[in-house]
């Protein structure tokens, strides 16, 4: 195995289990002239574990644009450089995009060294359709922007993939439940490839209940997957029942509005009750 001069290698590193660093990744990290790492303090233990002594430089979202020029210069001079992030595949919700784009503009070869990525890892074991999926990364932080993003995804028919922080997971599930409906199938993948790896496959409503009931489920690193919306006919029905629900909610308490809408539309009362609760709690704009 040899490495080429003047190439930027994009090297995926483990998302928890050190044994997931590929033999090719180890070889390239040993052979390049420099490793650009998101956080050198974070990557040093990994590199030490594999006896990799290559020089390190930091490239993260706060210094990316300044450091980039130096790296591009070194690549132009024929040095081989590897880019790694704290975990998983660089650029996937991680730094590196401006550098890679600039390499392409300057005719510098970029070569991926594939390996773990939490999104693909979760999808592969989720039991949700993987033929089409939409990677959404992290949802926006503010409540209104997050809700707006979810509303835009409501009728998306492919599987949705989100990265989520543990202290926001319950709140996000609550929002998803109110936008996508209580019965939408979902999966929470936590601490993938690590000691406490947990996959919970359930409806959004059941998943939220489990996350609220068990503080352990709000720890560690999390990927949330949500099944896509059912095809149009069902979406049309959901829109119609929502319209009826909204009218009844103007006059009736939540429970009664949900019961009557269920009788009119034949839809499940429990789902309509959750939707009615969410509608009633929605801030009026
Ligand atoms: N570049 C990484 C990748 O390819 O997966 C993702 C980096 S992003 C900054 C970190 C997020 O990825 C975490 O907040 C979590 O949502 C997800 N993640 C990373 N490792 C994970 C793991 N072992 N289990 C579950 N989710 C993980």
């Amino acid at each position: 195995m040899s490495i080429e001069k003047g190439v930027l290698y994009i090297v995926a590193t483990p998302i928890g289990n050190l044994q997931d660093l590929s033999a090719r990744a180890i070889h390239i990290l040993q052979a390049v002239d420099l490793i650009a790492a998101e956080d050198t303090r974070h990557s040093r233990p990994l590199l030490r574990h594999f006896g990799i002594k290559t020089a390190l430089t930091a490239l993260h979202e706060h210094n990316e644009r300044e450091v980039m020029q130096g790296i591009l210069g070194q690549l132009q001079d024929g040095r081989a450089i590897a880019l790694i992030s704290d975990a998983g595949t660089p650029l996937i919700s991680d730094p590196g995009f401006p550098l890679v784009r600039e390499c392409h503009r300057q005719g510098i070869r970029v070569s991926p060294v594939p390996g773990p990525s939490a999104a693909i890892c979760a999808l592969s074991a989720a039991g949700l359709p993987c033929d089409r999926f939409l990677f959404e990364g992290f949802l926006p932080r503010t409540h209104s922007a997050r809700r707006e993003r979810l509303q835009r995804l409501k009728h998306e028919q492919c599987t949705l993939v989100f990265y989520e922080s543990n202290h926001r997971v319950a709140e996000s599930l609550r929002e998803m439940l109110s936008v996508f409906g209580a019965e939408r199938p979902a999966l929470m993948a936590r601490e993938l490839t690590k000691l406490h790896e947990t996959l919970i496959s359930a409806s959004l409503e059941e998943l939220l209940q489990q996350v609220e009931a068990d503080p352990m489920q709000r720890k560690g690193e999390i990927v949330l997957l949500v099944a896509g919306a059912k095809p149009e006919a069902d979406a049309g029905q959901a829109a119609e029942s929502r319209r009826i629900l909204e009218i009844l909610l103007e006059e009736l308490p939540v429970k009664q509005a949900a019961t009557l809408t269920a009788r009119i539309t034949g839809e499940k009362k429990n789902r309509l009750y959750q939707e009615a609760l969410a509608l009633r709690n929605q801030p009026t704009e």
Side-chain angles (χ1 to χ4, degrees):
M1 246 191 306
S2 64
I3 64 149
E4 280 181 54
K5 289 184 173 302
V7 172
L8 176 68
Y9 291 94
I10 309 300
V11 182
T13 58
I15 56 171
N17 190 324
L18 292 189
Q19 290 175 29
D20 290 336
L21 189 67
S22 74
R24 184 165 163 244
I26 296 170
H27 170 75
I28 286 183
L29 291 173
Q30 268 162 347
V32 289
D33 299 299
L34 180 69
I35 298 171
E38 180 181 3
D39 182 343
T40 53
R41 285 163 309 175
H42 184 97
S43 295
R44 254 192 203 104
L46 172 80
L47 300 174
R48 202 176 303 125
H49 180 86
F50 288 99
I52 297 165
K53 300 198 176 87
T54 311
L56 275 176
T57 188
L59 181 131
H60 44 72
E61 58 177 336
H62 304 295
N63 73 356
E64 191 163 1
R65 282 170 200 279
E66 304 94 78
V67 171
M68 192 171 91
Q69 295 310 329
I71 291 180
L72 288 165
Q74 296 194 47
L75 287 162
Q76 293 285 15
D77 290 344
R79 300 186 88 201
I81 298 181
L83 175 70
I84 60 174
S85 61
D86 285 354
T89 302
L91 277 83
I92 307 302
S93 294
D94 267 343
F97 167 62
L99 174 64
V100 171
R101 181 179 52 184
E102 200 48 37
C103 283
H104 284 282
R105 283 182 182 155
Q106 298 191 14
I108 294 167
R109 199 161 95 78
V110 182
S111 180
V113 183
S117 185
I120 301 296
C121 181
L123 264 169
S124 70
L128 292 171
C130 298
D131 50 343
R132 288 178 61 233
F133 61 87
L134 185 60
F135 175 64
E136 274 292 318
F138 291 99
L139 283 167
R141 274 161 195 256
T142 66
H143 178 263
S144 58
R146 200 159 62 228
R147 194 167 181 96
E148 195 188 311
R149 177 75 57 86
L150 292 175
Q151 286 289 359
R152 274 199 278 128
L153 295 170
K154 184 175 174 173
H155 300 298
E156 185 54 65
Q157 288 177 21
C158 59
T159 299
L160 305 171
V161 184
F162 302 93
Y163 282 165
E164 191 49 273
S165 87
N166 50 21
H167 59 268
R168 258 201 313 268
V169 64
E171 196 185 330
S172 287
L173 281 170
R174 235 171 271 129
E175 293 274 358
M176 288 176 183
L177 188 153
S178 80
V179 175
F180 300 144
E183 283 166 26
R184 188 79 81 94
L187 176 117
M188 184 171 84
R190 205 172 57 79
E191 295 290 84
L192 287 163
T193 77
K194 302 186 205 175
L195 185 62
H196 297 290
E197 177 181 270
T198 311
L199 274 74
I200 303 179
S201 170
S203 68
L204 280 172
E205 184 181 29
E206 289 160 352
L207 190 52
L208 175 62
Q209 278 166 5
Q210 291 197 41
V211 167
E212 281 179 331
D214 179 2
M216 265 306 284
Q217 304 307 332
R218 301 194 296 274
K219 291 196 187 332
E221 297 193 281
I222 292 168
V223 182
L224 282 179
L225 306 189
V226 180
K230 289 199 185 135
E232 280 309 301
D234 290 6
Q237 193 192 339
E240 179 59 6
S241 53
R242 187 178 182 112
R243 195 181 69 82
I244 295 169
L245 203 53
E246 279 170 347
I247 294 169
L248 293 178
L249 275 172
E250 286 172 14
E251 306 288 339
L252 298 173
V254 167
K255 197 169 169 195
Q256 226 176 330
T259 307
L260 281 176
T261 309
R263 280 178 60 193
I264 296 166
T265 62
E267 275 205 60
K268 286 200 176 145
K269 197 163 70 181
N270 196 21
R271 189 194 80 70
L272 292 166
Y273 180 68
Q274 294 298 335
E275 190 168 349
L277 271 182
L279 282 168
R280 179 125 305 166
N281 292 334
Q282 230 170 41
T284 43
E285 318 257 329

